[in-house]
């Protein structure tokens, strides 16, 4: 056996087992077919002929069934190191009360170590609680496989719900980003439109000012022309009156007989 662990986890694993080992001493025929190896037993216990298997009791059969269910719930992990293939299964050791208390202590320690948030969305807290829930499922499955399978259904349902919420969150964030970009573009367009309208207003005000100046100039020229016409008309009337008086005087002089 070899004490190899793929990574730290709150889910308790057993000891890693060497499954396949290939060396250069094998023949080409043997190298094409990897040999499955169990953990190396002590050399003193080797026997040329294995003893006949003992009949399984009911408790051993139930334990074997629980072990198979555990392997179904938590598939064994495999990895390679050089030319060696290792297999790691979850632990089948029944838990005790101190184990549960130790699990709680490990959970609290890892939450502090990874600086998990107490509230809100936190991937680190979610990952640690998922590991803790898996460990509880393992502990329960060893004592009662049916209860463990029911907890597995609960875990899967929670994961589906969380995945749905995660999808909704991502879609809502994407929708919000699109709306924010659209609002930014609309804001830019509106600001440009405001600038264009302000420039247009300035141009129109300038035109109004010019038109007012033209109107005032036209009115001033009209007043000057009217004043000149009135003066000319008044002078003409005065001239005509003077001419009339002169003609009247001459006519009276002509008509009145001399005495």
């Amino acid at each position: 056996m070899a004490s190899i662990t793929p990574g730290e986890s709150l889910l308790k694993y057993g000891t890693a087992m060497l499954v396949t080992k290939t060396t250069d001493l094998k023949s080409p025929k043997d190298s094409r077919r990897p040999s499955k190896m169990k953990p190396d037993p002590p050399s003193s216990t080797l026997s040329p002929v294995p003893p006949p298997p003992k009949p399984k009791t009911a408790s051993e059969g139930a334990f074997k069934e629980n072990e198979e269910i555990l392997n179904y719930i938590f598939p064994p992990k495999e990895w390679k190191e050089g030319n060696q293939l290792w297999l790691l299964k979850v632990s089948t050791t029944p838990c005790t009360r101190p184990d549960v208390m130790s699990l709680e202590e490990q959970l609290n320690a890892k939450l502090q170590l990874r600086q998990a948030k107490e509230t809100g969305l936190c991937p680190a807290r979610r990952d640690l609680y998922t590991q803790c829930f898996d460990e509880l499922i393992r502990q329960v499955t060893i004592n009662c496989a049916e209860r463990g399978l029911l907890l597995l259904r609960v875990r899967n349902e929670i994961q589906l719900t969380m995945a749905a919420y995660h999808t909704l969150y991502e879609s809502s964030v994407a929708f919000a980003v699109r709306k924010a970009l659209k609002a930014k573009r609309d804001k830019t367009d509106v600001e440009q439109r405001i600038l264009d309208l302000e420039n247009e207003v300035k141009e129109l005000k300038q035109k109004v000012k010019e038109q007012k100046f033209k109107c005032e100039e036209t009115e001033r020229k009209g007043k000057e022309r009217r004043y000149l016409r009135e003066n000319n008309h008044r002078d003409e009337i005065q001239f005509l009156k003077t001419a009339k008086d002169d003609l009247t005087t001459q006519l009276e002089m002509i008509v009145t007989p001399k005495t």
Side-chain angles (χ1 to χ4, degrees), residues 23-175:
T23 61
D24 297 336
L25 299 177
K26 291 183 179 180
S27 62
K29 183 177 179 181
D30 294 336
S31 63
R32 290 194 301 268
R33 183 177 57 195
S35 60
K36 295 185 178 179
M37 299 179 62
K38 296 183 179 180
D40 300 333
S43 59
S44 60
T45 59
L46 292 176
S47 176
V49 179
K54 296 181 181 180
K56 295 182 179 180
T57 61
S59 60
E60 291 178 352
F63 180 79
K64 187 66 176 178
E65 182 181 357
N66 290 356
E67 184 178 1
E68 294 177 354
I69 293 175
L70 274 178
N71 292 333
Y72 167 75
I73 298 175
F74 305 108
K77 294 184 178 182
E78 296 182 359
W79 72 97
K80 287 185 178 180
E81 288 189 1
N83 59 350
Q84 296 177 345
L85 179 64
W86 295 88
L87 181 67
L88 185 65
K89 297 182 180 180
V90 292
S91 176
T92 57
T93 304
C95 66
T96 59
R97 183 175 181 182
D99 293 336
V100 179
M101 297 175 64
S102 175
L103 176 63
E104 183 180 7
E105 293 176 357
Q106 293 179 19
L107 175 62
N108 295 332
K110 287 182 177 293
L111 286 173
Q112 294 181 359
L113 180 64
R114 297 180 61 175
Q115 298 180 354
K117 299 179 182 178
E118 295 183 0
T119 58
L121 298 176
C122 180
R125 189 181 75 246
R126 179 185 174 188
D127 179 50
L128 291 175
Y129 273 100
T130 301
Q131 296 178 16
C132 182
F133 193 37
D134 290 343
E135 172 62 15
L136 293 177
I137 293 176
R138 184 196 70 82
Q139 295 176 4
V140 171
T141 305
I142 294 174
N143 298 326
C144 180
E146 292 77 7
R147 192 179 300 145
L149 291 174
L150 187 58
L151 286 177
L152 176 64
R153 289 182 58 185
V154 175
R155 186 199 68 176
N156 293 339
E157 179 62 25
I158 292 175
Q159 290 179 350
L160 288 175
T161 304
M162 291 298 295
Y165 283 138
H166 185 71
T167 303
L168 289 175
Y169 172 76
E170 289 183 344
S171 62
S172 62
V173 169
F175 178 77

Side-chain angles (χ1 to χ4, degrees), residues 197-208 210:
L197 291 175
E198 288 179 351
N199 293 332
E200 186 177 355
V201 168
K202 289 180 180 179
E203 293 177 358
L204 293 175
K205 285 183 177 180
Q206 184 65 26
K207 289 182 179 180
V208 169
E210 292 175 358

Side-chain angles (χ1 to χ4, degrees), residues 165-220:
Y165 283 138
H166 185 71
T167 303
L168 289 175
Y169 172 76
E170 289 183 344
S171 62
S172 62
V173 169
F175 178 77
V177 169
R178 290 195 301 270
K179 283 295 184 181
L181 293 175
K182 184 178 181 302
K184 188 175 181 179
R185 290 194 300 268
D186 294 344
K187 181 181 178 181
T188 304
D189 296 339
V190 171
E191 290 177 349
Q192 185 62 38
R193 178 63 176 166
I194 290 174
L195 291 176
D196 295 339
L197 291 175
E198 288 179 351
N199 293 332
E200 186 177 355
V201 168
K202 289 180 180 179
E203 293 177 358
L204 293 175
K205 285 183 177 180
Q206 184 65 26
K207 289 182 179 180
V208 169
K209 188 175 181 181
E210 292 175 358
Q211 293 297 327
K212 283 185 177 179
F213 178 77
K214 288 181 180 180
C215 289
E216 291 175 356
E217 187 69 16
T218 302
E219 186 176 359
R220 184 182 63 80

